[in-house]
Amino acid sequence: MARTGSGAGGVGAPDWRGGFGRLWSAAVVSRFGDALRGMALPLLARALTPDPLLIALVTACGFAPWLLFGLLGGALADRVEARRAMWAVDLARGLLTAGFAVAVAAGAASIVLVLALAFALTTLQTLFDNAATALLPAVVPHRALTAANARLMTGQEVIGRFVGGPVAPVLIAAGAALPFAADAATYLVAAALVASLRIGAPPRPPAASGRTLRREVAAGIRALWRDRVLRVVCGSVALGNVGIGALIAELVVLVKDWLGAGDVGYVGVMTGYGAGTVLGGLLAGRVIAAVGGQLRTLLWAGVVQAAVLVALGTVRALWPAALALGLFGFAGTVWNVVEVTVVQQRAPVALLGRISSAFRTVSIAGAPLGALLGGAVALAAGPNSPALLAAALLGLGAAVLPPVVRGGDSASSHSGQIPHTVP
């Protein structure tokens, strides 16, 4: 559910032939594998140890590398050619996961190995995600970035939630190693698809002499801070993700304890959320056009998310909860599409990896803090209170946007941006 991104950008349709079709296919195939592993890894951890702390560490290892290496991954993404970085990372992740599948099949897996795999995969992802953000503007025309991001996110959501989710239990029942073997295969297929792309590297200014990764990371942070629109949107994301972290941590408690629903009810509200996210991706371009600008759309999406969470935390009935989470998912996907597009359009090409990594690091840092706050608030004020806390924080996040909305939608890119190449 977490958000994970001025100007108005034109909305065009990316050409499915050639580069974008392969990039989309790689993203969707990889997301299918992620869905399998995401369901299988916690179950395997529970089978290996009854210790709840060790089981929780599996999730923590999926966040920690972003806080430790996220900025470094952005700097590396700006140093290397994005396409090569992506297929090399996917190849490495495929080999790691294949080795893990062999260990599980041989009965040699341990909780330490599970923790190591989770940490290693996310560490590699810090480079992959920033490279992917930098690659897309070289694959599709500038005007088509909004539609391209929407189609990528929609495809990943559909395949992960509505295909990978149902398939995972079947594979797990057939053998504990099968989900990880399938995940490894998807990484290798994705690597081959990305490696087959034939695009030119975007123009970059000559590298400064004596540059170091620390200086490059600092330059990316400064660039993010100096762009008023990106700075304000980043602050809005940081506030909102604290609230979303609180909601995610206690959502199952809200549904089961406060709404009195069982497992079927929980699946129902999550299905409502999933359907909303897919619709948000499909209709993001139309929403932006109807609202009248990207930054106005961010403001609209933040207000809608805050409002529906108020309803979620006050209306004690199952079907309104499913509807509220559906609207929450719809607005959240629209936000994500706009956020990523705004970063791609405003950031200079030479700094895009570092700016996007700073954005991601700030975003992810808020989620663990929010989870702790959500647990504390639920204990103090009841199981519906994290939803109300999330509504307040998302409302605050929306409240910081009006100053840039009034003047930002007329300027579509960073004043120092190097033109993107279009194949």
Side-chain angles (χ1 to χ4, degrees), residues 239 241 248 252 261 265 331 343 355:
L239 282 169
N241 276 349
I248 292 172
V252 66
V343 173
I355 290 174

Side-chain angles (χ1 to χ4, degrees), residues 342-387:
V342 165
V343 173
Q344 289 169 330
Q345 290 178 337
R346 294 191 68 85
V349 170
L351 292 168
L352 180 51
R354 282 166 281 176
I355 290 174
S356 65
S357 71
F359 224 113
R360 286 189 174 94
T361 300
V362 171
S363 299
I364 292 174
L369 172 61
L372 294 176
L373 284 175
V377 168
L379 284 174
N384 63 319
S385 57

Side-chain angles (χ1 to χ4, degrees), residues 12-27 81-84 86 130-149 151-152 193-204 344 349 352 419-423:
D15 190 346
W16 284 99
R17 295 170 298 178
F20 180 69
R22 296 183 191 184
L23 190 61
W24 184 91
S25 299
E81 200 266 306
R83 180 186 62 87
R84 293 179 181 176
M86 289 173 64
N130 291 314
T133 301
L135 180 64
L136 187 61
V139 173
V140 301
H142 197 66
R143 68 182 183 280
L145 281 174
T146 298
N149 280 313
R151 291 179 182 183
L152 281 168
L193 285 167
V194 174
S196 70
L197 291 173
R198 293 294 178 262
I199 58 174
R204 300 176 186 267
Q344 289 169 330
V349 170
L352 180 51
H420 294 287
T421 55
V422 179

Side-chain angles (χ1 to χ4, degrees), residues 237-340:
V237 171
L239 282 169
N241 276 349
V242 174
I244 291 174
L247 177 67
I248 292 172
E250 299 298 323
L251 183 60
V252 66
V253 178
L254 182 149
V255 173
K256 290 194 170 186
D257 293 357
W258 194 65
L259 297 179
D263 290 345
V264 174
Y266 182 70
V267 171
V269 298
M270 293 308 294
T271 300
Y273 170 75
T277 60
V278 171
L279 284 174
L282 292 173
L283 300 177
R286 295 184 182 181
V287 171
I288 295 167
V291 173
Q294 290 179 322
L295 296 179
R296 290 183 180 88
T297 302
L298 286 182
L299 177 58
W300 168 88
V303 169
V304 168
Q305 286 189 302
V308 298
L309 288 185
V310 170
L312 181 66
T314 54
V315 180
R316 203 165 186 175
L318 187 59
W319 73 262
L323 178 60
L325 279 178
L327 291 171
F328 183 80
F330 181 93
T333 301
V334 172
W335 176 290
N336 288 342
V337 169
V338 175
E339 174 193 310
V340 173

